[in-house]
Amino acid sequence: RSININKATAEELTSPPPPPEEKALAIIEYRETNGAFRETADIMKVSGIGEALYNKIKDDIDVS
């Protein structure tokens, strides 16, 4: 199951494989401030989410 990072709640964002809760909240804050993510790699623009975490979750997230 893929998680839409443009629509997911904090609870959905922390379901397996989870980014830590504070990162889930940062994702929500980022999209509320900056608008929708255009591609999954844009999640790395969120403070605290780097390439290592992105590589762990990239197959489980989408933006559609």
Side-chain angles (χ1 to χ4, degrees):
R1 171 178 101 98
S2 186
I3 297 171
N4 184 321
I5 59 176
N6 286 322
K7 298 178 182 175
T9 64
E11 182 178 292
E12 291 169 326
L13 287 168
T14 56
S15 63
E21 184 175 356
E22 67 272 4
K23 290 193 180 15
L25 296 174
I27 291 168
I28 293 169
E29 182 178 335
Y30 180 91
R31 73 176 187 222
E32 287 176 351
T33 301
N34 300 288
F37 296 97
R38 292 181 170 260
E39 56 186 53
T40 59
D42 288 343
I43 199 170
M44 290 187 286
K45 295 177 181 177
V46 176
S47 178
I49 299 183
E51 191 171 350
L53 179 56
Y54 173 70
N55 285 330
K56 288 181 184 178
I57 64 173
K58 69 181 178 183
D59 293 332
D60 297 301
I61 60 175
D62 69 58
V63 294
S64 58

Coordinates of all heavy atoms in Angstrom, one line a residue:
R1 N 0.8 -1.2 0.0 CA 0.0 0.0 0.0 C 0.9 1.2 0.0 O 1.8 1.4 0.8 CB -0.9 0.0 1.2 CG -1.7 1.2 1.5 CD -2.5 1.0 2.7 NE -2.0 1.6 3.9 CZ -2.3 2.8 4.3 NH1 -3.2 3.5 3.7 NH2 -1.7 3.3 5.4
S2 N 0.6 2.1 -0.9 CA 1.3 3.4 -1.0 C 0.6 4.5 -0.3 O -0.6 4.6 -0.3 CB 1.5 3.7 -2.5 OG 2.3 4.8 -2.7
I3 N 1.4 5.4 0.4 CA 0.8 6.5 1.1 C 1.0 7.8 0.3 O 2.1 8.1 -0.1 CB 1.6 6.6 2.5 CG1 1.3 5.4 3.3 CG2 1.1 7.9 3.2 CD1 2.2 5.3 4.6
N4 N -0.1 8.5 0.1 CA -0.1 9.7 -0.6 C 0.4 10.8 0.3 O -0.3 11.2 1.3 CB -1.4 10.1 -1.2 CG -1.4 11.3 -2.0 OD1 -0.7 12.3 -1.7 ND2 -2.1 11.3 -3.1
I5 N 1.6 11.3 0.1 CA 2.2 12.3 1.1 C 1.5 13.7 0.9 O 1.7 14.6 1.8 CB 3.7 12.4 0.9 CG1 4.1 12.8 -0.5 CG2 4.4 11.2 1.4 CD1 5.6 13.1 -0.7
N6 N 0.7 13.9 -0.1 CA -0.1 15.1 -0.2 C -1.4 15.1 0.6 O -2.0 16.2 0.8 CB -0.4 15.4 -1.6 CG 0.8 15.9 -2.4 OD1 1.7 16.6 -1.8 ND2 1.0 15.5 -3.6
K7 N -1.9 13.9 1.0 CA -3.1 13.8 1.6 C -3.1 13.1 3.0 O -4.1 13.2 3.8 CB -4.1 13.1 0.7 CG -4.4 13.8 -0.6 CD -5.3 13.0 -1.5 CE -5.5 13.7 -2.8 NZ -6.3 12.9 -3.7
A8 N -2.1 12.4 3.3 CA -2.0 11.5 4.4 C -2.0 12.3 5.8 O -1.5 13.4 5.9 CB -0.7 10.7 4.4
T9 N -2.7 11.7 6.7 CA -2.7 12.3 8.1 C -1.4 11.9 8.8 O -0.6 11.0 8.3 CB -3.8 11.7 8.9 OG1 -3.6 10.2 9.1 CG2 -5.2 11.9 8.2
A10 N -1.1 12.5 9.9 CA 0.1 12.1 10.7 C 0.1 10.6 11.0 O 1.1 10.0 10.9 CB 0.2 12.9 12.0
E11 N -1.1 10.1 11.4 CA -1.2 8.7 11.7 C -0.8 7.8 10.5 O -0.1 6.8 10.6 CB -2.6 8.3 12.2 CG -2.8 6.9 12.6 CD -4.2 6.6 13.1 OE1 -4.5 7.1 14.2 OE2 -4.9 5.9 12.4
E12 N -1.3 8.2 9.3 CA -1.0 7.4 8.1 C 0.5 7.5 7.7 O 1.1 6.6 7.3 CB -1.9 7.9 6.9 CG -3.3 7.6 7.1 CD -4.2 8.3 6.1 OE1 -3.9 9.4 5.7 OE2 -5.2 7.7 5.7
L13 N 1.1 8.7 8.0 CA 2.5 8.9 7.7 C 3.4 8.1 8.6 O 4.5 7.9 8.2 CB 2.8 10.4 7.7 CG 2.3 11.2 6.6 CD1 2.4 12.7 6.9 CD2 3.0 10.9 5.3
T14 N 2.9 7.7 9.8 CA 3.8 7.0 10.7 C 3.5 5.5 10.7 O 4.0 4.7 11.5 CB 3.6 7.5 12.1 OG1 2.3 7.5 12.5 CG2 4.2 8.9 12.2
S15 N 2.6 5.0 9.7 CA 2.4 3.6 9.6 C 3.6 3.0 8.8 O 4.3 3.7 8.1 CB 1.1 3.3 8.9 OG 1.1 3.8 7.6
P16 N 3.9 1.7 9.0 CA 5.1 1.1 8.4 C 5.3 1.4 6.9 O 4.3 1.3 6.2 CB 4.9 -0.4 8.6 CG 3.9 -0.5 9.7 CD 3.0 0.8 9.6
P17 N 6.5 1.6 6.4 CA 7.7 1.9 7.2 C 7.6 3.4 7.7 O 7.5 4.2 6.8 CB 8.8 1.6 6.3 CG 8.3 2.0 5.0 CD 6.8 1.6 5.0
P18 N 7.8 3.6 8.9 CA 7.5 5.0 9.4 C 8.7 5.9 9.4 O 9.8 5.6 9.7 CB 7.1 4.7 10.8 CG 7.9 3.6 11.3 CD 8.0 2.7 10.0
P19 N 8.4 7.1 8.9 CA 9.3 8.2 9.4 C 8.9 8.5 10.8 O 7.7 8.2 11.2 CB 9.0 9.4 8.5 CG 7.6 9.1 8.0 CD 7.4 7.6 8.0
P20 N 9.8 8.9 11.7 CA 9.4 9.2 13.1 C 8.3 10.3 13.1 O 8.1 11.0 12.1 CB 10.7 9.8 13.7 CG 11.8 9.2 12.8 CD 11.2 9.1 11.4
E21 N 7.5 10.3 14.2 CA 6.3 11.1 14.2 C 6.7 12.6 14.0 O 5.9 13.3 13.3 CB 5.6 11.0 15.6 CG 4.4 11.8 15.7 CD 3.6 11.6 17.0 OE1 4.0 10.8 17.8 OE2 2.6 12.3 17.2
E22 N 7.8 13.1 14.5 CA 8.1 14.5 14.3 C 8.4 14.8 12.8 O 8.1 15.9 12.3 CB 9.3 14.9 15.1 CG 10.7 14.3 14.8 CD 11.0 13.0 15.5 OE1 10.1 12.4 16.2 OE2 12.1 12.4 15.3
K23 N 8.8 13.8 12.1 CA 9.0 14.0 10.6 C 7.7 14.0 9.9 O 7.5 14.7 9.0 CB 10.0 13.0 10.1 CG 11.4 13.2 10.6 CD 12.4 12.4 9.8 CE 13.8 12.5 10.3 NZ 14.2 13.2 11.5
A24 N 6.8 13.1 10.4 CA 5.4 13.1 9.8 C 4.8 14.5 10.0 O 4.2 15.0 9.0 CB 4.6 12.0 10.4
L25 N 4.9 15.1 11.1 CA 4.3 16.4 11.4 C 5.0 17.4 10.5 O 4.4 18.4 10.0 CB 4.4 16.7 12.9 CG 3.6 15.8 13.8 CD1 3.8 16.1 15.2 CD2 2.1 15.9 13.5
A26 N 6.3 17.3 10.3 CA 7.1 18.2 9.5 C 6.6 18.1 8.0 O 6.5 19.1 7.3 CB 8.6 18.0 9.6
I27 N 6.2 16.9 7.6 CA 5.7 16.7 6.2 C 4.4 17.5 6.1 O 4.2 18.2 5.1 CB 5.5 15.2 5.9 CG1 6.9 14.5 5.8 CG2 4.7 15.1 4.6 CD1 6.8 13.0 5.8
I28 N 3.5 17.4 7.0 CA 2.2 18.1 7.0 C 2.5 19.6 7.0 O 1.8 20.3 6.2 CB 1.3 17.6 8.1 CG1 1.0 16.1 7.9 CG2 0.1 18.5 8.3 CD1 0.3 15.5 9.1
E29 N 3.3 20.0 7.9 CA 3.6 21.5 8.0 C 4.2 22.0 6.7 O 3.7 23.1 6.2 CB 4.5 21.8 9.1 CG 4.8 23.2 9.3 CD 5.8 23.5 10.5 OE1 5.8 22.7 11.4 OE2 6.4 24.6 10.4
Y30 N 5.1 21.3 6.1 CA 5.7 21.7 4.8 C 4.6 21.8 3.7 O 4.6 22.8 3.0 CB 6.8 20.7 4.4 CG 7.4 21.1 3.1 CD1 8.6 21.9 3.1 CD2 6.9 20.7 1.9 CE1 9.2 22.3 1.9 CE2 7.5 21.1 0.7 CZ 8.6 21.9 0.7 OH 9.2 22.4 -0.5
R31 N 3.8 20.8 3.6 CA 2.8 20.9 2.5 C 1.7 21.9 2.7 O 1.2 22.5 1.8 CB 2.2 19.5 2.2 CG 1.2 19.0 3.2 CD 0.6 17.7 2.9 NE -0.4 17.4 3.8 CZ -0.6 16.2 4.3 NH1 0.1 15.2 3.9 NH2 -1.6 16.0 5.2
E32 N 1.4 22.2 4.0 CA 0.5 23.3 4.3 C 1.1 24.6 4.0 O 0.4 25.6 3.6 CB 0.0 23.2 5.8 CG -0.9 22.1 6.0 CD -1.3 21.9 7.5 OE1 -0.7 22.6 8.4 OE2 -2.1 21.1 7.8
T33 N 2.4 24.8 4.2 CA 3.1 26.0 3.9 C 3.4 26.2 2.4 O 3.3 27.3 1.9 CB 4.3 26.1 4.7 OG1 4.0 26.0 6.1 CG2 5.1 27.4 4.5
N34 N 3.8 25.1 1.8 CA 4.4 25.2 0.4 C 3.5 24.6 -0.7 O 3.9 24.7 -1.8 CB 5.8 24.5 0.4 CG 6.7 25.2 1.4 OD1 7.2 26.3 1.1 ND2 7.0 24.6 2.5
G35 N 2.4 24.0 -0.3 CA 1.6 23.3 -1.3 C 2.0 21.9 -1.5 O 2.9 21.3 -0.8
A36 N 1.3 21.3 -2.4 CA 1.5 19.8 -2.7 C 2.9 19.5 -3.2 O 3.5 20.3 -3.9 CB 0.5 19.4 -3.7
F37 N 3.4 18.3 -2.9 CA 4.6 17.8 -3.4 C 4.3 17.4 -4.9 O 3.3 16.8 -5.2 CB 5.1 16.6 -2.6 CG 5.4 16.8 -1.2 CD1 4.5 16.6 -0.2 CD2 6.6 17.3 -0.9 CE1 4.8 16.8 1.1 CE2 7.0 17.5 0.5 CZ 6.0 17.3 1.5
R38 N 5.2 17.8 -5.8 CA 5.1 17.4 -7.2 C 5.6 16.0 -7.5 O 5.1 15.4 -8.4 CB 5.8 18.5 -8.1 CG 5.1 19.8 -8.0 CD 5.8 20.8 -8.9 NE 5.1 22.0 -9.0 CZ 4.3 22.3 -10.1 NH1 4.1 21.4 -11.1 NH2 3.6 23.4 -10.1
E39 N 6.6 15.6 -6.8 CA 7.2 14.3 -7.0 C 7.7 13.8 -5.6 O 7.9 14.6 -4.7 CB 8.3 14.3 -8.0 CG 9.4 15.2 -7.7 CD 10.5 15.3 -8.8 OE1 10.1 15.5 -9.9 OE2 11.6 15.1 -8.5
T40 N 7.8 12.5 -5.4 CA 8.2 11.9 -4.1 C 9.5 12.5 -3.6 O 9.6 12.7 -2.4 CB 8.2 10.4 -4.1 OG1 9.1 9.9 -5.1 CG2 6.8 9.8 -4.4
A41 N 10.4 12.7 -4.5 CA 11.8 13.2 -4.1 C 11.7 14.6 -3.4 O 12.5 15.0 -2.6 CB 12.7 13.3 -5.3
D42 N 10.6 15.3 -3.7 CA 10.4 16.6 -3.0 C 10.3 16.5 -1.5 O 10.5 17.5 -0.8 CB 9.1 17.3 -3.5 CG 9.3 17.8 -5.0 OD1 10.4 17.9 -5.4 OD2 8.2 18.1 -5.6
I43 N 10.0 15.3 -1.0 CA 9.9 15.1 0.4 C 11.3 15.5 1.1 O 11.3 15.8 2.3 CB 9.4 13.7 0.8 CG1 8.9 13.7 2.2 CG2 10.5 12.7 0.6 CD1 8.1 12.4 2.6
M44 N 12.3 15.4 0.4 CA 13.6 15.7 0.9 C 13.8 17.2 1.2 O 14.8 17.6 1.8 CB 14.8 15.2 0.0 CG 14.9 13.7 0.0 SD 16.3 13.0 -0.8 CE 15.8 13.3 -2.5
K45 N 12.9 18.0 0.7 CA 12.9 19.5 1.0 C 12.4 19.7 2.5 O 12.6 20.8 3.0 CB 12.0 20.2 0.1 CG 12.5 20.2 -1.4 CD 11.5 20.9 -2.3 CE 12.0 20.8 -3.7 NZ 11.0 21.5 -4.6
V46 N 11.8 18.7 3.1 CA 11.3 18.8 4.5 C 12.5 18.7 5.4 O 13.3 17.8 5.3 CB 10.3 17.7 4.8 CG1 9.8 17.7 6.2 CG2 9.1 17.8 3.8
S47 N 12.6 19.6 6.3 CA 13.7 19.6 7.3 C 13.8 18.3 8.0 O 12.7 17.8 8.5 CB 13.5 20.7 8.3 OG 14.5 20.7 9.3
G48 N 14.9 17.7 8.0 CA 15.1 16.4 8.7 C 14.9 15.2 7.9 O 15.1 14.1 8.3
I49 N 14.5 15.3 6.6 CA 14.3 14.2 5.7 C 15.4 14.3 4.7 O 15.3 15.1 3.8 CB 12.9 14.1 5.1 CG1 11.9 14.0 6.3 CG2 12.8 13.0 4.1 CD1 10.5 13.8 5.8
G50 N 16.3 13.4 4.8 CA 17.4 13.4 3.8 C 17.3 12.2 2.9 O 16.3 11.4 2.9
E51 N 18.4 12.0 2.1 CA 18.4 10.9 1.1 C 18.3 9.5 1.8 O 17.6 8.6 1.2 CB 19.7 11.0 0.3 CG 19.7 10.1 -0.9 CD 20.9 10.3 -1.8 OE1 21.6 11.3 -1.6 OE2 21.0 9.5 -2.7
A52 N 18.9 9.3 2.9 CA 18.8 8.0 3.6 C 17.4 7.6 3.9 O 16.9 6.5 3.6 CB 19.7 7.9 4.8
L53 N 16.6 8.5 4.6 CA 15.2 8.2 4.9 C 14.4 8.1 3.7 O 13.6 7.2 3.5 CB 14.7 9.3 5.9 CG 13.2 9.1 6.3 CD1 13.0 7.7 6.9 CD2 12.7 10.2 7.2
Y54 N 14.6 9.0 2.7 CA 13.9 8.9 1.5 C 14.0 7.6 0.8 O 13.1 7.0 0.3 CB 14.3 10.1 0.5 CG 13.7 9.9 -0.9 CD1 12.3 10.1 -1.0 CD2 14.5 9.6 -2.0 CE1 11.7 10.0 -2.3 CE2 13.9 9.5 -3.2 CZ 12.5 9.7 -3.4 OH 11.9 9.5 -4.6
N55 N 15.3 7.1 0.7 CA 15.5 5.8 0.1 C 14.8 4.6 0.8 O 14.4 3.7 0.2 CB 17.0 5.5 0.0 CG 17.7 6.3 -1.1 OD1 17.1 6.7 -2.1 ND2 18.9 6.7 -0.9
K56 N 14.6 4.8 2.1 CA 13.9 3.7 2.9 C 12.4 3.8 2.6 O 11.7 2.7 2.6 CB 14.1 3.9 4.4 CG 15.4 3.6 4.9 CD 15.5 3.8 6.4 CE 16.9 3.6 6.9 NZ 17.1 3.8 8.3
I57 N 11.8 5.0 2.3 CA 10.4 5.1 2.2 C 9.9 5.3 0.8 O 8.7 5.3 0.5 CB 9.8 6.1 3.1 CG1 10.3 7.5 2.8 CG2 10.1 5.8 4.6 CD1 9.7 8.7 3.5
K58 N 10.8 5.6 -0.2 CA 10.4 6.0 -1.5 C 9.4 5.1 -2.2 O 8.6 5.5 -3.0 CB 11.6 6.3 -2.4 CG 12.4 5.2 -2.8 CD 13.6 5.6 -3.6 CE 14.4 4.4 -3.9 NZ 15.6 4.8 -4.7
D59 N 9.6 3.8 -2.0 CA 8.7 2.8 -2.7 C 7.3 2.7 -2.0 O 6.4 2.0 -2.5 CB 9.4 1.4 -2.7 CG 10.6 1.4 -3.6 OD1 10.7 2.2 -4.5 OD2 11.5 0.6 -3.3
D60 N 7.2 3.4 -0.9 CA 5.9 3.3 -0.1 C 5.1 4.6 -0.1 O 4.1 4.7 0.6 CB 6.2 2.8 1.3 CG 6.8 1.5 1.4 OD1 6.2 0.5 0.9 OD2 7.9 1.3 1.9
I61 N 5.6 5.6 -0.9 CA 4.9 6.9 -0.9 C 4.6 7.3 -2.4 O 5.3 6.8 -3.3 CB 5.8 8.0 -0.2 CG1 7.1 8.2 -0.9 CG2 5.9 7.7 1.3 CD1 7.9 9.4 -0.4
D62 N 3.6 8.1 -2.5 CA 3.3 8.7 -3.8 C 2.7 10.0 -3.7 O 2.5 10.5 -2.6 CB 2.4 7.7 -4.6 CG 1.0 7.7 -4.1 OD1 0.3 8.7 -4.0 OD2 0.5 6.5 -3.8
V63 N 2.5 10.7 -4.8 CA 2.0 12.1 -4.8 C 0.7 12.2 -5.6 O 0.2 13.3 -5.8 CB 3.0 13.1 -5.3 CG1 4.2 13.2 -4.3 CG2 3.5 12.8 -6.7
S64 N 0.2 11.1 -6.1 CA -1.0 11.2 -7.0 C -2.3 11.3 -6.2 O -2.3 11.0 -5.1 CB -1.0 10.0 -7.9 OG -1.0 8.8 -7.2

